[in-house]
């Protein structure tokens, strides 16, 4: 068969043989496609004898596809990641040294694109207190960053995990009503602190605008001569307040020891029947003043209702003006002491009574006790001036009372003594056991002889003289001891019966008309 097959025919006797054809492969540098071709052993073309003895060269055959492939081949180095490549050139699929667990450095791609080149990555030592590379911080080295740089107001910043972040848990924000960071307080949150715990006496503590300390501008120190904190006053500074602004009529206002309250003991309220404030008198309380002291002969001196700044002498009388006024029992206009009206116009007798009211030993002094006698006499409608039968260390009935030549009588008319001499001779004609109202003597709570007796405050002996040293500190205290008389006695015991005792016991007093 001619031309239908190619065969190598050897000439008879020839040793040479035609080598078999081999298959060659390669890559076209222009297309990047694999190529194949038949080559003889002598070169790119193989000589083939035909049946007619003619020779033809078999042309190279270029194919676009390798004999064992179905698509284009992967090309590492084209900067495109193609399966199964991990990377390609500078295309690292978003990976970095950091993402691969290193601290810093430049990541590269292996030459065959099958893996990353980590030779340019470095690992720093987190925890050596030295911020290096991409470390934000390291231990105490915060690279100069503070809580303020992180948007907070105060506090202590620390380095976070792996030196890659900051821990802001120690930072604080002022105004969030939470005490955090370096704050001492925040808004109304004071953690139980007050002006007192901060060393002041009073006032309202607040928080500073920066929350780092307390605002003590609202706190006060009592006694520094400045009205501060919650104070109403401080020492002589009263903030414009007076007794009048505090609801009184007169007097001198003072600051209390706590600088919060006012001392109103020096203020007066006219009409309360007590001399206080700047008052001269109040109601029937005229102090030690009397009608006699105002130039009259007798009567009950009182206070003018308006302002308590003057005396009312309408109840005083002048003996000899033929008008029965004051405490006068009569007034015949003459000085004849032998007629029915004596020269003092008080009648033929002097009244003595035991009080219907009981007191402790603090009368505010002898003058206070006199005032009690006078008030009781006025209330009972008894004329004249009355003094108390009591003594201090320096004064006594014998030194300060009018020693009357006329009889001393009780309010029921019974004669007690014919005159002053009879009053102090140690033997009364009748006991002084009737009150200004004509009633029986009240029984106090003294424990003399077991108690239950009608004791009377005196500290005076039967001669009307002082028994020094036992008089409740001159009748200004309810502490200590005293001496008492006994109202149901007529001997010397009527004025001196019991001693010692206690000044807070209760007993009545003797009152004698002058």
């Amino acid at each position: 068969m001619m031309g239908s097959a190619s065969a190598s025919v050897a000439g008879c006797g020839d040793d040479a043989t035609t080598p078999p054809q081999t298959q060659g492969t390669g890559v076209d540098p222009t297309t990047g496609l694999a190529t194949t071709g038949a080559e003889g052993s002598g070169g790119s073309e193989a000589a083939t004898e035909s049946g007619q003895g003619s020779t033809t060269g078999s042309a190279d055959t270029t194919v676009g596809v390798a004999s064992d492939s179905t698509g284009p081949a992967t090309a590492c180095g084209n900067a495109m990641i193609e399966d199964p490549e991990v990377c390609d050139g500078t295309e690292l699929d978003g990976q970095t040294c950091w993402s691969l667990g290193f601290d810093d450095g430049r990541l590269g791609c292996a030459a065959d694109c099958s893996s990353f080149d980590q030779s340019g990555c470095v690992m720093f030592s987190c925890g050596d207190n030295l911020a290096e590379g991409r470390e934000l911080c390291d231990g105490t080295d915060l690279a100069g960053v503070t809580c303020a740089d992180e948007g907070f107001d105060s506090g202590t910043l620390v380095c976070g995990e792996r030196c890659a972040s900051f821990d802001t848990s120690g930072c604080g924000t002022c105004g969030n009503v939470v005490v955090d960071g370096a704050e001492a307080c925040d808004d109304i949150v004071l953690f139980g602190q007050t002006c007192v715990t901060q060393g002041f006496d009073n006032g309202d503590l607040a928080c500073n605008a920066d929350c780092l300390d307390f605002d003590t501008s609202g706190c006060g120190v009592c006694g520094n001569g400045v009205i501060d904190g919650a104070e109403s006053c401080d020492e002589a500074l009263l903030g414009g307040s007076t007794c009048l602004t505090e609801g009184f009529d007169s007097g001198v206002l003072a600051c209390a020891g706590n600088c919060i309250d006012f001392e109103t003991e020096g203020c007066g309220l006219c009409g309360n029947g007590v001399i206080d404030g700047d008052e001269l008198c109040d109601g029937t309380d005229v102090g030690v003043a009397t009608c006699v002291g105002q130039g009259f002969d007798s009567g009950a001196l009182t206070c003018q209702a308006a302002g308590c700044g003057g005396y009312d002498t309408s109840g005083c009388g002048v003996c000899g003006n033929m008008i029965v006024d004051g405490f006068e029992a009569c007034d015949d206009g003459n000085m004849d002491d032998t007629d029915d009206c004596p020269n003092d116009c008080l009648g033929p007798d002097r009244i003595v009574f035991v009080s219907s009211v009981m007191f402790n030993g603090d009368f505010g002094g002898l003058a206070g006790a006199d005032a009690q006698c006078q008030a009781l006499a006025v209330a009972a409608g008894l004329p004249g001036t009355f003094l108390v039968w009591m003594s201090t260390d320096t004064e006594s009935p014998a030194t300060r009372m009018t020693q009357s030549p006329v009889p001393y009588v009780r309010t029921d008319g019974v004669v007690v003594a014919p005159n002053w001499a009879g009053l102090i001779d140690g033997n009364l004609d009748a006991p002084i056991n009737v009150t200004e109202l004509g009633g029986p003597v009240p029984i106090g709570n003294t424990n003399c002889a077991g108690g239950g007796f009608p004791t009377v405050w005196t500290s005076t002996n039967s001669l009307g003289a002082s028994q020094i040293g036992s008089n409740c500190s001159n009748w200004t205290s309810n502490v200590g001891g005293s001496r008492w008389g006994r109202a149901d006695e007529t001997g010397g015991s009527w004025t001196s019966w019991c001693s010692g005792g206690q000044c807070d016991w209760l007993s009545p007093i003797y009152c004698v008309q002058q």
Side-chain angles (χ1 to χ4, degrees):
M1 183 178 290
M2 296 180 62
S4 61
S6 298
S8 296
V9 180
C12 180
D14 292 338
D15 293 329
T17 60
T18 301
Q21 292 179 331
T22 60
Q23 187 76 22
T25 64
V27 178
D28 190 323
T30 59
T31 66
L33 300 177
T35 61
T36 62
E39 293 183 333
S41 62
S44 62
E45 293 181 354
T48 305
E49 294 181 356
S50 67
Q52 289 81 19
S54 61
T55 302
T56 62
S58 60
D60 290 338
T61 303
T62 302
V63 295
V65 183
S67 61
D68 57 354
S69 176
T70 61
T74 300
C76 177
N78 64 352
M80 295 178 59
I81 301 175
E82 302 165 300
D83 190 52
E85 294 175 343
V86 174
C87 54
D88 195 317
T90 59
E91 179 57 53
L92 303 178
D93 196 23
Q95 298 297 314
T96 63
C97 286
W98 181 267
S99 67
L100 295 182
F102 294 90
D103 292 321
D104 205 354
R106 179 181 290 278
L107 187 66
C109 188
D112 62 359
C113 300
S114 65
S115 63
F116 293 110
D117 179 3
Q118 301 176 353
S119 62
C121 296
V122 293
M123 180 70 77
F124 296 123
S125 178
C126 180
D128 62 0
N129 292 321
L130 182 63
E132 302 174 289
R134 294 184 61 190
E135 291 180 335
L136 290 179
C137 53
D138 194 318
T140 59
D141 186 356
L142 302 179
V145 181
T146 65
C147 284
D149 296 320
E150 294 299 300
F152 296 89
D153 297 316
S154 67
T156 302
L157 190 68
V158 297
C159 193
E161 185 179 359
R162 293 182 59 197
C163 301
S165 63
F166 291 108
D167 180 357
T168 60
S169 61
C171 297
T173 300
C174 184
N176 62 353
V177 200
V178 175
V179 177
D180 46 17
E183 297 175 351
C185 52
D186 198 310
D187 202 302
I188 60 173
V189 180
L190 303 178
F191 271 160
Q193 293 297 301
T194 64
C195 285
V196 174
T197 63
Q198 293 296 305
F200 296 86
D201 296 320
N202 56 68
D204 296 316
L205 188 67
C207 192
N208 272 342
D210 60 5
C211 299
L212 298 180
D213 204 353
F214 295 104
D215 178 2
T216 60
S217 61
C219 298
V221 176
C222 184
N224 63 353
V226 178
I227 298 176
D228 47 16
E231 297 174 353
S232 301
C233 53
D234 198 308
E235 294 185 338
L237 296 181
L238 303 179
S241 294
T242 65
C243 285
L244 272 64
T245 63
E246 295 303 301
F248 295 88
D249 298 318
S250 66
V252 178
L253 189 68
C255 190
N258 60 8
C259 296
I260 303 297
D261 303 311
F262 292 109
E263 293 283 359
T264 59
E265 284 79 1
C267 297
L269 190 62
C270 185
N272 64 354
V274 177
I275 297 175
D276 46 19
D278 295 332
E279 297 173 351
L280 176 66
C281 52
D282 196 314
T284 59
D285 186 355
V286 293
V288 297
T290 63
C291 285
V292 174
Q294 299 300 308
F296 296 87
D297 296 318
S298 68
L301 188 67
T302 57
C303 193
Q304 294 178 359
C308 296
Y311 296 115
D312 180 359
T313 60
S314 61
C316 299
V318 176
C319 182
N321 63 357
M322 300 188 68
I323 299 173
V324 177
D325 48 16
F327 286 149
E328 296 174 352
C330 58
D331 195 321
D332 58 6
N334 64 58
M335 300 304 293
D336 184 358
D337 205 27
T338 62
D339 57 16
D340 291 336
C341 185
N343 289 341
D344 60 10
C345 301
L346 296 180
D349 303 311
R350 295 293 178 267
I351 299 172
V352 59
F353 63 84
V354 62
S355 68
S356 61
V357 179
M358 294 187 292
F359 310 89
N360 64 37
D362 184 3
F363 290 86
L366 202 58
D370 286 339
Q372 294 293 346
C373 278
Q374 191 64 51
L376 291 171
V378 170
L382 301 178
T385 300
F386 284 78
L387 298 180
V388 68
W389 182 273
M390 287 178 9
S391 299
T392 65
D393 289 345
T394 58
E395 294 184 277
S396 68
T399 63
R400 69 193 197 99
M401 284 189 176
T402 300
Q403 299 178 10
S404 176
V406 298
Y408 288 92
V409 299
R410 299 185 316 207
T411 56
D412 60 359
V414 174
V415 174
V416 171
N419 48 36
W420 175 262
L423 189 64
I424 63 171
D425 67 2
N427 188 21
L428 299 180
D429 293 341
I432 308 173
N433 59 358
V434 178
T435 69
E436 75 280 5
L437 300 174
V441 60
I443 307 297
N445 64 347
T446 57
N447 198 31
C448 295
F453 296 96
T455 55
V456 184
W457 294 106
T458 62
S459 194
T460 304
N461 63 24
S462 61
L463 297 175
S466 174
Q467 293 179 310
I468 298 173
S470 186
N471 50 34
C472 299
S473 298
N474 293 315
W475 311 113
T476 61
S477 174
N478 61 5
V479 177
S482 182
R483 289 182 181 271
W484 292 262
R486 182 168 158 178
D488 59 353
E489 289 285 335
T490 57
S493 296
W494 77 270
T495 184
S496 181
W497 176 64
C498 173
S499 64
Q502 299 175 191
C503 288
D504 61 352
W505 286 348
L506 298 176
S507 287
I509 54 179
Y510 290 128
C511 300
V512 182
Q513 186 186 42
Q514 301 305 296

